[in-house]
Amino acid sequence: DAKTTQPTSMDCAEGRAANLPCNHSTISGNEYVYWYRQIHSQGPQYIIHGLKNNETNEMASLIITEDRKSSTLILPHATLRDTAVYYCIVRLGVNSGGYQKVTFGIGTKLQVIP
Amino acid sequence: GAVVSQHPSWVICKSGTSVKIECRSLDFQATTMFWYRQFPKQSLMLMATSNEGSKATYEQGVEKDKFLINHASLTLSTLTVTSAHPEDSSFYICSAPEAARGGETQYFGPGTRLLVL
């Protein structure tokens, strides 16, 4: 799997958009970008994933650059409950030979401030 | 989204005893499940891949005889920590993938906190 680079920590004011960057310059053409988060003392939670198009769901938006070497997770209106560690992971899809294991890096610790 | 449950949510045991942790996919079938552990202030570390109908695949450095994995059905995988010692105290988390748009979504359980005295 391609390596990702994320800032160690970020702060965001409550109600403002939180923009979490991720660099994945060695991503290959059949690798997806996934985002998960882990709130303290809980299991990780899937947020969103994409291949090359921007994606949006009820939780967040994922913006992937045209060259696919970086992406940004956007939480449009951050709340205190969004305080968590956010993981950007690049990996093959299931069509590449079965379910792939998820390797977690350090992630970005997002602190939403009142 | 799909739901993965774990039982128990926390357990305290004496050194030398064995502890079984269950992981269930509640509304979907999972031929593959993953087991992780997480020490305080560290990221999740993959321990093993659980496969229904075949042996589990363990990551390097994980003792297969100590951490027994049984994928009994398409909705249940169990992790047994045998002869637990204080250094096995950790947060154990399982996940189950479900296909979605070419990729797949990994659904994680809420975790099981193990404390070995």
Side-chain angles (χ1 to χ4, degrees), chain A residues 83-105:
Chain A
T83 293
V85 178
Y86 288 77
Y87 297 98
C88 170
I89 296 165
V90 172
R91 51 200 291 263
L92 295 170
V94 65
N95 293 331
S96 296
Y99 292 119
Q100 306 293 322
K101 59 187 179 182
V102 178
T103 302
F104 287 85

Side-chain angles (χ1 to χ4, degrees), chain B residues 74-110:
Chain B
L74 289 174
T75 60
L76 173 64
S77 175
T78 60
L79 169 68
T80 301
V81 183
T82 62
S83 187
H85 292 284
E87 58 266 29
D88 299 322
S89 298
S90 188
F91 190 46
Y92 291 86
I93 304 168
C94 69
S95 73
E98 187 180 39
R101 292 189 287 114
E104 95 284 338
T105 300
Q106 291 268 355
Y107 294 102
F108 289 82

Side-chain angles (χ1 to χ4, degrees), chain B residues 11-69:
Chain B
V11 58
I12 301 174
C13 70
K14 293 182 179 180
S15 185
T17 61
S18 295
V19 175
K20 180 185 285 189
I21 302 170
E22 293 185 348
C23 177
R24 292 181 185 273
S25 55
L26 296 187
D27 48 4
F28 66 104
Q29 294 183 334
T31 56
T32 301
M33 291 184 177
F34 300 96
W35 286 96
Y36 298 82
R37 64 180 168 183
Q38 185 176 34
F39 294 106
K41 299 189 177 182
Q42 294 185 21
S43 190
L44 283 79
M45 294 296 295
L46 180 68
M47 297 176 67
T49 302
S50 172
N51 303 296
E52 191 270 338
S54 64
K55 292 183 178 180
T57 305
Y58 291 82
E59 296 299 300
Q60 190 173 9
V62 178
E63 300 175 57
K64 63 180 181 180
D65 294 331
K66 180 170 182 62
F67 298 99
L68 301 179
I69 291 173

